[in-house]
Amino acid sequence: MENQIIEIGNTEWQIVNARDTWIAELEAGKVLYFPHLAFMPTADEKRFFTPKILHPKIRNISLDANGRLKGALGDAATQAALAARVGRFRMQAQTLIDSLLPRYTSALRLAPTSYRPSQVETRTQSWRADDRRLHVDAFPSRPNYGERILRVFTNVNPAGVPRVWRVGEPFDMVAQRYLSRAKPYSAWQAKMLRVLRITKSLRSEYDHLMLQLHDGMKSDLEYQRDASQVTMPFPPGSAWICFSDQTSHAVVSGQYMLEQTFHLPVAQQYDPASSPLAILTRLTGRTLI
């Protein structure tokens, strides 16, 4: 399998030597891996390295675009300090993306920033929600009409424990494997889902197909076992970037990670023809949004 992880040696979040090849590889669904790009906690912030900071009914702590912290326990001072920490990572992630991908800057839409203090291996979830299985990101209630999901991750584990991923085959191979098994799109069903407020907007055929790929991959245990893939341990002090709607990935193990999501219109890519929307449109021969 072609190398899906591209190692970049930069040590600063401000990239001054960005290469066109890195952009092309990212937009092709590969992972850009920065082994020496660390997000360092202050002495005071080390108190947040405990899963007890997370509300027991919440999966991750998040900081929204307005600076509101959700999912964390503790008094007002504790939550303010944690919000400042997550916000500091947000600024560094924005610096990384703006300097690496300047064409994106004016069009990026900021999503919540998350802190994930829980241990991946001990989570109990349904097969559909289990991110330990190879998948591409797609969300049942939030149709996005081809808008890209760009994510920046950093492992901040204080005990030296890696964040272990599996990275699978390119998106076009996944699509060719599962499109023939996909249930047909129903405009009537999409309208009913919207009327019943199961979806926040009308589900397009693109969104339907992305869910079919997501569920097809996760439900296929033979594929999970035998698909071409590499296991990648991202150590503490490293960062990585991918389009999670395109990169086939699974989160195997780890604890204590920060993550920033950005949304990007397809047209703002350097090469829109490399997007999942373009690939699915070519494979189906239909207009999907």
Side-chain angles (χ1 to χ4, degrees), residues 142-149 204-207 210 243 245 263-267 269 272 275-278 280 288-289:
R142 304 196 305 274
N144 71 3
Y145 298 89
E147 188 176 49
R148 306 307 314 280
I149 304 170
S204 68
E205 185 172 3
Y206 168 81
D207 293 290
M210 287 296 290
F243 279 107
D245 55 334
H263 297 290
L264 178 76
V266 171
Q269 285 189 225
S275 67
L277 175 60
L280 292 177
L288 301 177
I289 58 174

Side-chain angles (χ1 to χ4, degrees), residues 1 87 97 122 130 137-138 148 199 216 225 230 244 252 266 277:
M1 184 178 71
I97 295 301
T122 59
D130 189 355
D137 282 353
R148 306 307 314 280
T199 59
R225 183 184 67 241
V230 294
S244 63
V252 178
V266 171
L277 175 60

Side-chain angles (χ1 to χ4, degrees), residues 210-272:
M210 287 296 290
L211 286 168
Q212 291 292 299
L213 298 186
H214 173 278
D215 290 357
M217 295 171 74
K218 282 192 174 181
S219 64
D220 187 343
L221 295 181
E222 183 177 344
Y223 178 78
Q224 294 291 324
R225 183 184 67 241
D226 298 335
S228 295
Q229 57 190 279
V230 294
T231 299
M232 180 65 201
F234 295 105
S238 69
W240 59 105
I241 308 171
C242 72
F243 279 107
S244 63
D245 55 334
Q246 185 171 8
T247 303
S248 173
H249 64 288
V251 186
V252 178
S253 63
Q255 187 177 15
Y256 303 118
M257 185 184 74
L258 287 157
E259 175 270 333
Q260 177 63 60
T261 297
F262 302 92
H263 297 290
L264 178 76
V266 171
Q268 202 65 25
Q269 285 189 225
Y270 289 79
D271 179 21

Side-chain angles (χ1 to χ4, degrees), residues 39 41-54 61 69 72-86 88 115-118 156-158 255-258:
F39 177 78
T42 65
D44 178 67
E45 290 171 350
K46 292 179 181 179
R47 61 187 162 129
F48 301 130
F49 289 123
T50 171
K52 294 180 180 179
I53 198 72
L54 178 67
I61 293 168
L69 192 71
L73 298 177
D75 59 22
T78 297
Q79 296 209 20
L82 180 54
R85 180 200 192 207
V86 178
R88 187 162 57 86
Y115 173 46
R116 308 181 182 189
S118 59
V156 292
N157 192 290
Q255 187 177 15
Y256 303 118
M257 185 184 74
L258 287 157

